[in-house]
Amino acid sequence: MGKVRKRKPNKTQNNIVADVSDEELPVDSKENVIQTILDQLQAANVEEKYCGLQTFAFIIESPENIEQAIERGVVKAVAPLLLDPAGSVRNAAAGSLRNLSAVQLEVCDSLMEQDIMTPLICWFDKHAENWTPDTNSKTKMEDVDTFIQCINLLLNLCESSELAVKYLGQSRVLSILLPKYLDIGTFGCDIVASVLQCLFVVVEDNPDVMEKIKLTCEKQLQELMSIEDTDPSILLIRTLSAGVIINTCGGNMAVLPVNVINQIVSILAMTLSIDHRLVCNQLSSIVPLNDGSGKFEPPKGKDEQMLDCQLKSASQILDAQQRSIEIIANICSCDDASDQMEGPESSDSDEVGDDEDSNGEGVVLAEDKLPPEILEALISLNIFEKVWARTQLPAENVMLILKEYEGSKLLHQKLHTLQTRALLCVNNMLSSLPVDNLGGVNGIYKIWIDVGKLVFKESSENLYILESATAVMRAALDKIKFRENGKSGECDLFRDLSLSDIEMMITGIRECQVPEIRSNLIRMIGILALLLVNKLNETSSSVICAITDFILEQAHKENEVWVLAEAIDTLVDLYSEDETDELAAKVKLVEKLSILAPILKNKARQQRKLPKEYKVLVSTATSNLPRFIKYKKGRVTKL
């Protein structure tokens, strides 16, 4: 995940950069600017080419300019400049293309369509195979920066495109990089870390790359992982090395020796032990502040060096913590749990709602899937608590300071990314760790409450955070439901739940435009209703009926078949209990589900192109619904 790095304009070139400071340029003015860029990029003069690249880098900071620049073929003109004889031109080309590749996945697709990989691979062949940083060279820092930009461009492309990974495998790039560029003594921490970041991405689910790494640099990775140093740059390298080692095992950490497993988890724990909020608080005290008119007084001399050093260290800490959390999320991923539900044949009983096996007898629980040595390491080093701490952002005033200053804007973005990844990791850990190691039912309930504040009270506009947060809320209730099985007295946590308490959630679902978030919220309120089934009284019955009516209403409005399937599956789970027969009759559940059955079937026929997990959900709901209607109708008619 290469990050946007804003390029500083070369002071000697400022007088020739085109004036494009107005981001709302008329279409014809943009056309003129783009044509000027194209003319400059194709000039013989180094200054002209550099000027064109600087202007290109500036205009792509505005997303509305990107599509037009790509359509006009600017990328096709920039990419060959990776091979330009002038180092400054190569550096500017690499930086602008790397920034462009970090915008969004669709941009990377466009870059691939314009054959970005050919000049990029040629750059590695021509400039990386025999290069080492020359301490006496005036262009050393520029050459190092160009290398890092090209590596991150490659990383972004491979992360977005399977075709890029294929081209990489067919090229000599990995042979050039490994094991040479893992030598910290020769290349320094920044280059080694950038190479490891790239390997971390390209090795995943790629047997050829896995084998290549094992043959060429397995020993070096272990040596990097064993460096005794707490400097942020080394922590990042140790964390990435651990991640690459796990990925070379296909993600199956259990095949590693126990001492290596413990070493890896210890590294992750050490990385996550750094208080990222404290780091950012301290940093905010030396970041220049807005003078009220939108201007900043940049630091100079030693103050500038100190700020740059702390910005870099904070960035490395956040990168290391993000990768640590991604590794833990993968370790705790229980995707194979769904393999038992590949098709409609997964349930042959008419009483499809019967959940007797969910007490753990005769089935493998999600929390039993982790090998004991891994589970023990995660628990003994308090990994869950460390991951949970990463879901908390620094204070609002600190976030505002970081966001306003140009040099720290990227940290502001990284903090939100870290929070999102941490929430996704918490989601996986809730499924994989025993309840008692999550603070018991009360501890999980507190997680649900705390994340609920993030979703419903802070009105976050970040959809990625909302999606991951609602997934955590859903997983937390799932865990409580599973542990209590709807019968334990500890479900009194929700005994006072009233219609006003869920009104905010219902409003959130009605207004939600993102299917993934909508699905999580629908399932969540369904679980809440299920937890009330065995505490039936006048209040809880009215809440269950209101939730039922709402889910049925949403099901009729739903366009996405997999969200419709989720809604129907939620109702089937809720009313599978025999105690709900009277409520089912009261809300006319059988009649309303009978109307939804053909709608679900038609939408399933129309929307066939779905990810695997959604296909399983739709297939299961389509198969189970008719049987459930038959089963419930038989019970309701006997009332």
Side-chain angles (χ1 to χ4, degrees), residues 400-523:
L400 183 60
I401 291 171
L402 296 178
K403 184 179 181 180
E404 286 187 341
Y405 181 60
E406 184 68 26
S408 57
K409 277 184 179 179
L410 183 54
L411 289 179
H412 182 270
Q413 296 172 19
K414 287 186 176 186
L415 283 163
H416 281 294
T417 301
L418 181 66
Q419 182 186 41
T420 303
R421 297 290 197 281
L423 287 166
L424 291 171
C425 187
V426 166
N427 175 58
N428 285 6
M429 296 188 84
L430 283 171
S431 300
S432 303
L433 298 183
V435 172
D436 293 341
N437 298 112
L438 295 167
V441 170
N442 287 326
I444 298 171
Y445 176 72
K446 186 178 185 304
I447 290 171
W448 184 76
I449 292 292
D450 289 344
V451 178
K453 293 175 184 176
L454 177 67
V455 174
F456 295 111
K457 293 186 178 180
E458 296 184 11
S459 302
S460 173
E461 295 179 1
N462 188 320
L463 296 180
Y464 295 109
I465 290 175
L466 286 178
E467 181 181 346
S468 54
T470 52
V472 170
M473 295 185 74
R474 169 178 173 169
L477 288 183
D478 261 328
K479 196 76 169 182
I480 294 172
K481 179 191 75 171
F482 175 80
R483 171 64 176 260
E484 305 309 330
N485 202 22
K487 296 179 174 63
S488 169
E490 287 195 72
C491 277
D492 284 351
L493 289 169
F494 300 98
R495 70 181 181 277
D496 296 324
L497 193 71
S498 65
L499 284 174
S500 59
D501 294 323
I502 65 164
E503 189 174 323
M504 195 179 297
M505 289 181 247
I506 287 176
T507 301
I509 301 172
R510 283 199 179 106
E511 296 176 353
C512 181
Q513 301 297 312
V514 183
E516 289 79 8
I517 300 174
R518 203 159 59 240
S519 168
N520 286 334
L521 291 171
I522 288 172
R523 175 63 76 172

Side-chain angles (χ1 to χ4, degrees), residues 78 90 113 115 134 176 188 213 242 245 250 257 265 358 400 412 416 509 517 532 543 599 608:
V78 171
R90 294 197 300 272
E113 289 171 4
D115 196 25
D134 183 357
I176 292 169
I213 290 175
I245 287 174
V265 179
S358 66
L400 183 60
H412 182 270
H416 281 294
I509 301 172
I517 300 174
L532 297 174
V543 170
I599 295 174
R608 294 181 180 275

Side-chain angles (χ1 to χ4, degrees), residues 139-335:
T139 62
K140 178 196 171 185
M141 296 310 298
E142 182 177 76
D143 293 338
V144 168
D145 185 65
T146 301
F147 181 93
I148 292 173
Q149 300 291 357
C150 286
I151 281 286
N152 281 293
L153 172 58
L154 179 65
L155 183 160
N156 290 341
L157 293 170
C158 288
E159 197 165 40
S160 305
S161 168
E162 292 182 6
L163 185 59
V165 176
K166 180 181 177 182
Y167 284 161
L168 174 65
Q170 294 171 349
S171 72
R172 295 175 55 249
V173 171
L174 289 177
S175 298
I176 292 169
L177 295 177
L178 304 175
K180 175 181 174 181
Y181 282 94
L182 296 182
D183 182 353
I184 293 179
T186 302
F187 294 98
C189 291
D190 291 346
I191 284 179
V192 172
S194 68
V195 172
L196 287 169
Q197 289 267 25
C198 191
L199 292 179
F200 183 84
V201 169
V202 301
V203 71
E204 193 170 4
D205 300 324
N206 194 330
D208 292 338
V209 178
M210 291 178 196
E211 192 60 31
K212 194 173 198 64
I213 290 175
K214 286 180 182 178
L215 291 174
T216 59
C217 58
E218 191 169 35
K219 183 179 178 182
Q220 272 183 291
L221 288 170
Q222 291 171 345
E223 290 173 352
L224 290 172
M225 199 170 62
S226 301
I227 299 174
E228 294 293 335
D229 198 323
T230 57
D231 184 83
S233 61
I234 297 298
L235 277 180
L236 176 58
I237 285 172
R238 295 183 71 192
T239 302
L240 290 168
S241 300
V244 174
I245 287 174
I246 293 173
N247 285 349
T248 57
C249 303
N252 183 12
M253 191 175 170
V255 303
L256 296 170
V258 174
N259 65 310
V260 176
I261 291 173
N262 291 332
Q263 181 185 15
I264 288 175
V265 179
S266 295
I267 289 170
L268 302 179
M270 183 184 301
T271 299
L272 293 174
S273 293
I274 299 174
D275 188 339
H276 69 301
R277 300 176 72 191
L278 178 60
V279 168
C280 292
N281 290 348
Q282 293 172 342
L283 178 62
S284 68
S285 66
I286 63 171
V287 167
L289 299 178
N290 189 330
D291 65 4
S293 63
K295 295 181 180 179
F296 296 84
E297 184 65 36
K300 298 176 182 177
K302 290 184 179 180
D303 289 340
E304 181 182 15
Q305 292 177 358
M306 180 185 296
L307 177 59
D308 287 346
C309 182
Q310 290 204 27
L311 284 169
K312 183 176 180 180
S313 293
S315 180
Q316 290 169 333
I317 288 169
L318 295 180
D319 284 345
Q321 293 193 342
Q322 178 185 324
R323 289 309 189 191
S324 295
I325 283 170
E326 289 170 355
I327 292 167
I328 296 164
N330 287 337
I331 291 171
C332 295
S333 175
C334 293
D335 291 340

Side-chain angles (χ1 to χ4, degrees), residues 13 19 65 95 103 107 228 322 422 469 506 517 611 613 633:
Q13 304 295 336
D19 182 10
N65 296 332
V103 174
V107 172
E228 294 293 335
Q322 178 185 324
I506 287 176
I517 300 174
E613 63 271 23
K633 185 177 181 179

Side-chain angles (χ1 to χ4, degrees), residues 513-625:
Q513 301 297 312
V514 183
E516 289 79 8
I517 300 174
R518 203 159 59 240
S519 168
N520 286 334
L521 291 171
I522 288 172
R523 175 63 76 172
M524 186 177 68
I525 64 169
I527 297 172
L528 278 174
L530 183 59
L531 288 168
L532 297 174
V533 164
N534 292 289
K535 300 288 178 184
L536 286 178
N537 54 42
E538 186 176 343
T539 300
S540 62
S541 294
S542 64
V543 170
I544 294 170
C545 289
I547 289 175
T548 303
D549 288 338
F550 172 71
I551 294 177
L552 286 166
E553 173 194 333
Q554 284 299 119
H556 279 285
K557 295 177 181 177
E558 185 56 56
N559 292 322
E560 297 289 341
V561 65
W562 67 270
V563 181
L564 172 58
E566 186 81 83
I568 288 173
D569 193 54
T570 298
L571 291 172
V572 169
D573 281 349
L574 173 58
Y575 284 92
S576 63
E577 302 289 340
D578 292 345
E579 294 88 342
T580 62
D581 291 345
E582 289 187 8
L583 289 175
K586 184 177 180 180
V587 298
K588 300 181 179 180
L589 179 71
V590 172
E591 295 92 324
K592 292 176 180 178
L593 285 180
S594 297
I595 295 172
L596 277 174
I599 295 174
L600 174 65
K601 197 170 182 179
N602 288 335
K603 284 187 182 292
R605 192 179 297 116
Q606 294 165 3
Q607 301 177 33
R608 294 181 180 275
K609 293 183 179 180
L610 295 170
K612 179 182 176 182
E613 63 271 23
Y614 293 166
K615 283 185 178 179
V616 172
L617 176 62
V618 172
S619 175
T620 303
T622 305
S623 175
N624 284 349
L625 183 56

Side-chain angles (χ1 to χ4, degrees), residues 380-397:
S380 65
L381 291 168
N382 300 314
I383 296 296
F384 181 81
E385 290 79 2
K386 290 177 170 62
V387 173
W388 174 252
R390 306 283 86 71
T391 67
Q392 310 303 309
L393 292 172
E396 189 174 341
N397 66 310

